[in-house]
Amino acid sequence: MLPFKPIFLGKIPRQVPRATTAQRCIRTNDVENVGRTARHHTFFEMLGNFSFGDYFKKEAIRWSWELSTIEFGLPPERLWISVYEDDDEAFEIWHNEVGVPVERIKRMGEDDNFWMSGATGPCGPCSEIYYDFHPERGHADVDLGDDTRFIEFYNLVFMQYNKKDDGKLEPLKQKNIDTGLGLERMARILQKVPNNYETDLIYPIIEKASELANISYALADEQTKLKLKVVGDHLRAIAYLISDGVLPSNIGRGYVVRRLIRRVVRAGRSLGIKGEVRNNLEEAFLPIIAEKVIELSTHIDSDVKIKAPRILEELKKEELHFVQTLERGETLLEKMLANALSNAQKSGTVPCLSGKEAFLLYDTFGFPVELTTEIAEEHGVTVDMNGFDFEMENQRRLSRAAHNVVKLAVEDGANLTENINETEFVGYDTLSAQAVVESVMVNGSPVTQVSEGNDVEVLLNRTPFYAESGGQIGDHGFLYVTRGENKQTAVVEIKDVQKSLGDIFVHKGTIREGVLEVGREVEAAVDVKLRQRAKVHHTATHLLQAALKKLISQEISQSGSLVAFDRLRFDFNYGYALTDSQLEEIEQLINGWIEAATFLETKVMPLKDAKEAGAIAMFGEKYGEQVRVVEVPGVSMELCGGTHVSNTSEIRVFKIISEQGIASGVRRIEAVAGEAFIEYINGRESQMKNLCSMLKVKAEEVATRVEKLLEELRMSRNEIANLRTKAAVYKALMIANKAFEVGTSQKIRVLVESVDDADADSLKAAAEHLIDTLQDPAAVILGSCPDEGKVSLVAAFSPAVVNMGIQAGKFIGPIAKLCGGGGGGRPNFAQAGGRMPENLPSALEKAREDIVSILSEKAR
């Protein structure tokens, strides 16, 4: 119901008095319950009916009963009702008008029967219908929350209040209805199966997984059934998410997909499910099971069938990628769990994985923290989630992108929105218009006037300024206030325009001259040159999407865009980098369309007609009943509210400046066109002139000269590296006489020293030289500080020392930790690093003590 919240609150007008919906829903906040209960799912379909100030409680109750008992044919005597404890009206309707016996109507408290959309917002009492699987248990001491007997399948919300910030309930101007009926739950009831998973919506998927695992679901134990249910449930969710354009990644919705895929992979592997083996490599098994999901969806959602190749390819790629790190991650997690249990036993505390350890598994090995938690719980170990959240927040700080939120009024927002109508946009037809100032705000608070030098937000009754939407940034320009004889009294420079609360345009700018007052008439003038740049880039974006679909794949779909004055950016779903030749071909095709000088056609039509005509809609965008369609005849047709050129020749030229991956399965192209292209070329030419001047060559000789310089640099670096190695070996010879002997039954030569500023490679060469010089048995441990804030360590053990059971890799790790680092390697040779040079002397002293102690024990 979230898209309907502004309608419930009366902030935007209703387009229809009532609606009926079938919504696909994803819910992962209680994913651990999937398979454990009879009714929890990550993916489910919710059937609903809504009233926006039309019908209310009596009709909603009567129709829900009619649907349940007549259309679905459920026995009335098996249906129980819950109502909010104070809702006498609903109780009376159920009992007196519908005829439900009093003993089958239960009054319940706020936690169960008062529905809220959040901490604030539309809310109201609700009434639920439950199905009774065991009526023979009678009416005494009935608990409707008993999952072994009841299932709630229909919820009727009587949306009649708005919960304010202070917790008070304010009656809404119009009473609304919001109902939800779970498809999977109704299927379970009608098909008379013990849980939702064994309905024909999910069970065929479970059967396919059972076949691959070579087990019988009917004969399986509960733990095995749980894993099969996870596979059946999650793969439905994954297939529909990918079909809708949500691809695996480490952020946002993409993380939901990745998390679910990894849970399925782990569940399947633990069941013994494996893919086919080809060329001695195991293939993915998820696509095999997903084919059943796609088959089941064919008559429900044709898009899933159409997008099957992408779904199967993404599943294969993601599974094989995860398996590469899964085994290493599982091995590391086992060690972490063993250490946690051991440490807890020694200290008498509760075994717990640290937040850093959980984050390492997440960040390096791709383990969702929920997966780590599940595995840890299986071993009786908890996870420090506060510590994990701290590490996650640290990472977010490094990569967090700013999100601009338009806030319209702080103090008296309700009154403000009541007094201001939606802004009339005239910017398709004109770039200058007379308008009236309806409101002025400073720091989010309404004021009646504001003077020179202040930043303001201005609301007009009409505007030629385009407000940021559909990827296109807002127009720039000026507001001019004049009095008699065109005498200018105020100038407001507009640097951004945003939409708020539907179609109210918020003009953000600065008072450059004079005083701006509410009610004053202004001339709103858009910067013509910047608007033209935006139009050029927006139409070019449409041509780019058409070219990608034509030349690369029809499956490509937009996942984000930016239409700016200086460039365009287009994000799209595709799993591979584009080659230089492909990018050149795209450019040539687009520039051919530009040269063809085709006139664009813009129409407003019903959404249904637009889709039937083949217009492309952006996934996730909201569209009204009437939509604007922008068509380049013979090339592209898209639903778009942006501004565009009249003829493709206005674009002049198109140039791709970069192509890169920004997330798993998502590519980004940046390009320039028109005037921005000329700026780009001029900038490149200026850079080339500087290079020519610096290198003292002509433009066509730059590449050759740079190659020669790079070769000279490589040779110089090699010479420096050789000299450093020779110097380190020479230093090693100088300190070889500092070796001392350890052991009684066998004399072992040991050397633990610092080699000044030797780099890692030089230190390695020195240790290898020393181990040969000292001869078997010998142990060499060296350290250095090659650069500021850096530590290098190396341990080299001869064969006889290794045969004693001492491994260089295991030895050097704890020493490196003393210098704020880590490392490892082979039993005979290991390297490590750190970032605390000041601790190197004490670390080497610790290494000396440890190696002497170990060797003395081994060589008694």
Side-chain angles (χ1 to χ4, degrees):
M1 55 71 66
L2 291 179
F4 298 141
K5 282 180 72 171
I7 302 175
F8 290 148
L9 292 171
K11 289 187 174 180
I12 61 175
R14 69 184 190 184
Q15 295 179 329
V16 293
R18 57 179 71 173
T20 304
T21 62
Q23 300 181 53
R24 295 191 301 239
C25 306
I26 297 291
R27 175 189 172 100
T28 58
N29 59 333
D30 51 5
V31 67
E32 68 281 353
N33 286 327
V34 170
R36 299 182 188 277
T37 72
R39 56 185 173 81
H40 275 91
H41 298 289
T42 55
F43 173 85
F44 57 93
E45 293 188 70
M46 184 62 72
L47 314 179
N49 56 283
F50 298 85
S51 166
F52 311 112
D54 185 20
Y55 62 85
F56 193 52
K57 198 173 293 188
K58 184 181 295 186
E59 294 85 353
I61 289 174
R62 191 172 71 247
W63 292 342
S64 67
W65 186 261
E66 180 182 326
L67 178 64
S68 300
T69 59
I70 297 176
E71 300 301 327
F72 287 131
L74 303 184
E77 65 275 10
R78 284 194 173 225
L79 302 185
W80 288 65
I81 307 299
S82 70
V83 297
Y84 182 52
E85 55 192 357
D86 295 336
D87 194 350
D88 296 331
E89 181 185 4
F91 192 101
E92 293 300 321
I93 295 171
W94 280 115
H95 178 55
N96 295 329
E97 299 192 27
V98 176
V100 179
V102 171
E103 60 268 23
R104 292 214 310 275
I105 305 176
K106 293 289 182 182
R107 293 182 184 268
M108 300 176 75
E110 184 175 321
D111 289 345
D112 297 297
N113 279 70
F114 194 91
W115 195 91
M116 292 181 285
S117 60
T120 61
C123 58
C126 64
S127 181
E128 297 167 321
I129 308 178
Y130 291 77
Y131 185 81
D132 185 356
F133 291 104
H134 297 285
E136 71 279 2
R137 296 184 186 176
H139 299 82
D141 300 323
V142 167
D143 176 12
L144 293 180
D146 180 1
D147 284 349
T148 66
R149 177 174 178 179
F150 297 101
I151 186 168
E152 178 252 308
F153 66 88
Y154 211 156
N155 186 14
L156 318 177
V157 180
F158 311 125
M159 202 78 73
Q160 59 194 83
Y161 298 111
N162 176 27
K163 188 174 183 181
K164 309 290 284 183
D165 290 332
D166 59 7
K168 293 181 180 178
L169 297 179
E170 174 186 75
L172 293 172
K173 289 185 177 179
Q174 60 182 26
K175 295 181 178 180
N176 311 284
I177 289 293
D178 165 13
T179 78
L181 185 150
L183 176 66
E184 290 79 7
R185 298 186 183 195
M186 181 56 73
R188 173 192 171 189
I189 295 169
L190 295 176
Q191 294 173 27
K192 297 180 173 60
V193 291
N195 56 68
N196 297 0
Y197 301 95
E198 296 183 34
T199 65
D200 56 10
L201 293 167
I202 304 174
Y203 193 63
I205 308 168
I206 291 176
E207 283 187 311
K208 185 64 180 178
S210 299
E211 176 190 324
L212 292 178
N214 197 29
I215 57 179
S216 166
Y217 176 84
L219 301 176
D221 58 39
E222 289 305 312
Q223 192 61 27
T224 300
K225 285 184 176 180
L226 168 63
K227 293 173 182 176
L228 287 168
K229 289 173 183 176
V230 167
V231 173
D233 170 88
H234 287 10
L235 267 177
R236 276 181 92 214
I238 294 162
Y240 278 96
L241 281 165
I242 296 177
S243 173
D244 279 345
V246 184
L247 301 179
S249 72
N250 279 337
I251 57 173
R253 298 180 305 175
Y255 177 60
V256 172
V257 182
R258 175 160 286 169
R259 176 186 173 192
L260 294 177
I261 289 175
R262 293 179 171 184
R263 280 175 57 87
V264 177
V265 171
R266 183 169 179 261
R269 283 166 64 89
S270 67
L271 289 167
I273 300 177
K274 294 183 178 179
E276 296 180 14
V277 176
R278 297 177 184 172
N279 300 323
N280 295 322
L281 293 174
E282 184 182 320
E283 289 289 310
F285 67 82
L286 292 188
I288 301 172
I289 307 175
E291 287 178 351
K292 177 59 69 174
V293 181
I294 294 165
E295 177 189 323
L296 292 171
S297 71
T298 302
H299 303 297
I300 305 166
D301 187 340
S302 57
D303 279 353
V304 178
K305 182 72 173 178
I306 293 170
K307 295 173 181 174
R310 179 198 287 181
I311 295 170
L312 299 178
E313 178 63 26
E314 286 295 332
L315 283 171
K316 176 182 177 180
K317 183 172 66 176
E318 188 71 11
E319 179 183 347
L320 294 180
H321 177 71
F322 180 46
V323 167
Q324 289 176 0
T325 57
L326 182 62
E327 292 178 354
R328 283 184 293 152
E330 285 178 336
T331 301
L332 178 59
L333 178 55
E334 285 178 9
K335 290 180 180 177
M336 289 178 175
L337 294 172
N339 289 337
L341 290 166
S342 175
N343 293 336
Q345 189 173 19
K346 291 176 183 176
S347 61
T349 58
V350 176
C352 180
L353 276 187
S354 71
K356 280 190 175 182
E357 290 173 316
F359 184 75
L360 173 67
L361 290 166
Y362 164 79
D363 196 43
T364 305
F365 296 96
F367 266 54
V369 68
E370 299 82 7
L371 184 58
T372 299
T373 302
E374 284 183 20
I375 299 172
E377 286 177 353
E378 291 171 4
H379 290 74
V381 179
T382 61
V383 176
D384 175 14
M385 289 305 301
N386 289 333
F388 174 83
D389 291 340
F390 176 80
E391 297 294 330
M392 179 68 84
E393 185 58 32
N394 279 343
Q395 186 191 61
R396 285 183 184 135
R397 283 197 195 100
L398 300 176
S399 59
R400 182 180 291 140
H403 292 276
N404 293 324
V405 178
V406 181
K407 187 172 183 181
L408 180 61
V410 173
E411 296 175 354
D412 199 9
N415 292 334
L416 185 62
T417 55
E418 284 178 10
N419 297 329
I420 294 179
N421 297 317
E422 292 185 346
T423 310
E424 179 190 356
F425 177 61
V426 297
Y428 291 135
D429 305 313
T430 182
L431 296 183
S432 178
Q434 294 299 119
V436 175
V437 178
E438 296 206 329
S439 178
V440 177
M441 290 173 291
V442 175
N443 297 324
S445 299
V447 295
T448 56
Q449 66 175 30
V450 62
S451 58
E452 184 177 319
N454 285 290
D455 292 334
V456 293
E457 294 178 338
V458 183
L459 309 185
L460 306 174
N461 66 327
R462 61 202 299 265
T463 183
F465 283 83
Y466 183 83
E468 181 177 324
S469 62
Q472 181 176 332
I473 65 173
D475 279 328
H476 291 191
F478 290 89
L479 303 180
Y480 299 104
V481 182
T482 57
R483 283 182 184 168
E485 298 182 357
N486 295 323
K487 185 178 180 182
Q488 188 172 291
T489 61
V491 177
V492 184
E493 183 180 9
I494 301 300
K495 285 295 187 181
D496 187 23
V497 185
Q498 298 282 339
K499 282 186 182 180
S500 180
L501 296 176
D503 282 325
I504 296 175
F505 286 40
V506 183
H507 304 72
K508 298 186 171 189
T510 304
I511 308 290
R512 294 303 181 194
E513 296 179 22
V515 176
L516 181 68
E517 298 174 331
V518 173
R520 184 68 61 193
E521 188 173 282
V522 300
E523 180 191 351
V526 173
D527 186 313
V528 177
K529 290 183 178 180
L530 293 182
R531 166 65 78 85
Q532 181 63 18
R533 284 176 171 235
K535 288 162 65 175
V536 163
H537 280 145
H538 207 148
T539 304
T541 301
H542 285 211
L543 298 182
L544 174 57
Q545 177 160 221
L548 287 166
K549 284 181 171 290
K550 184 179 179 67
L551 298 177
I552 307 302
S553 171
Q554 280 295 325
E555 291 297 307
I556 281 177
S557 63
Q558 181 178 341
S559 62
S561 69
L562 171 68
V563 176
F565 304 133
D566 61 338
R567 71 193 189 285
L568 68 88
R569 187 178 72 212
F570 186 75
D571 300 339
F572 57 99
N573 297 321
Y574 193 62
Y576 307 96
L578 301 187
T579 64
D580 290 341
S581 62
Q582 286 175 319
L583 293 174
E584 288 176 12
E585 194 176 357
I586 290 167
E587 282 184 352
Q588 289 173 4
L589 179 59
I590 293 173
N591 284 312
W593 287 333
I594 293 169
E595 189 178 354
T598 303
F599 282 96
L600 275 70
E601 297 178 4
T602 303
K603 303 173 185 175
V604 176
M605 62 178 71
L607 178 60
K608 182 173 178 289
D609 293 350
K611 288 185 175 180
E612 288 177 354
I616 296 174
M618 172 67 177
F619 174 74
E621 281 289 314
K622 297 176 183 177
Y623 299 102
E625 287 300 312
Q626 295 290 313
V627 293
R628 184 169 180 265
V629 178
V630 176
E631 180 179 9
V632 182
V635 178
S636 79
M637 182 189 293
E638 297 191 28
L639 305 184
C640 182
T643 61
H644 290 269
V645 298
S646 300
N647 187 292
T648 57
S649 62
E650 293 179 42
I651 301 173
R652 296 158 67 186
V653 67
F654 174 89
K655 175 67 179 174
I656 293 173
I657 58 177
S658 70
E659 190 276 342
Q660 62 182 328
I662 59 169
S664 177
V666 181
R667 309 296 301 177
R668 169 174 290 173
I669 285 178
E670 291 197 355
V672 289
E675 196 68 28
F677 168 78
I678 295 173
E679 280 185 0
Y680 172 75
I681 292 300
N682 287 341
R684 294 290 288 264
E685 185 178 359
S686 176
Q687 291 172 353
M688 179 58 76
K689 285 180 179 178
N690 289 336
L691 277 175
C692 291
S693 175
M694 291 168 59
L695 299 174
K696 295 180 172 54
V697 294
K698 296 178 181 178
E700 57 269 24
E701 297 171 347
V702 167
T704 303
R705 178 61 176 146
V706 170
E707 285 180 1
K708 186 176 180 182
L709 287 172
L710 287 173
E711 181 59 30
E712 290 174 1
L713 181 60
R714 279 192 292 270
M715 291 175 64
S716 297
R717 283 176 173 171
N718 287 338
E719 287 180 16
I720 292 171
N722 289 334
L723 287 172
R724 281 181 172 173
T725 299
K726 288 178 181 178
V729 170
Y730 176 75
K731 289 178 181 178
L733 292 173
M734 299 292 291
I735 62 173
N737 59 357
K738 293 185 179 181
F740 56 91
E741 293 184 344
V742 174
T744 305
S745 62
Q746 187 178 17
K747 297 297 183 181
I748 305 164
R749 283 162 291 283
V750 176
L751 180 64
V752 182
E753 289 294 331
S754 173
V755 190
D756 299 334
D757 59 354
D759 61 19
D761 289 337
S762 301
L763 205 64
K764 176 176 180 286
E768 289 172 341
H769 185 80
L770 282 166
I771 208 73
D772 290 338
T773 301
L774 296 176
Q775 298 183 344
D776 198 14
V780 174
I781 298 146
L782 303 177
S784 69
C785 299
D787 291 302
E788 186 177 348
K790 285 188 177 180
V791 173
S792 287
L793 291 162
V794 64
F797 296 164
S798 68
V801 172
V802 174
N803 289 337
M804 293 178 184
I806 309 170
Q807 297 188 13
K810 292 184 177 179
F811 180 85
I812 202 67
I815 304 303
K817 282 186 178 180
L818 298 175
C819 295
R826 304 186 307 274
N828 66 318
F829 192 88
Q831 287 180 282
R835 54 184 182 276
M836 297 165 62
E838 65 275 14
N839 289 356
L840 180 60
S842 59
L844 289 176
E845 185 58 37
K846 173 65 173 170
R848 187 191 311 273
E849 293 174 2
D850 288 353
I851 195 67
V852 168
S853 174
I854 294 169
L855 291 176
S856 298
E857 180 68 25
K858 297 285 185 180
R860 280 182 178 176

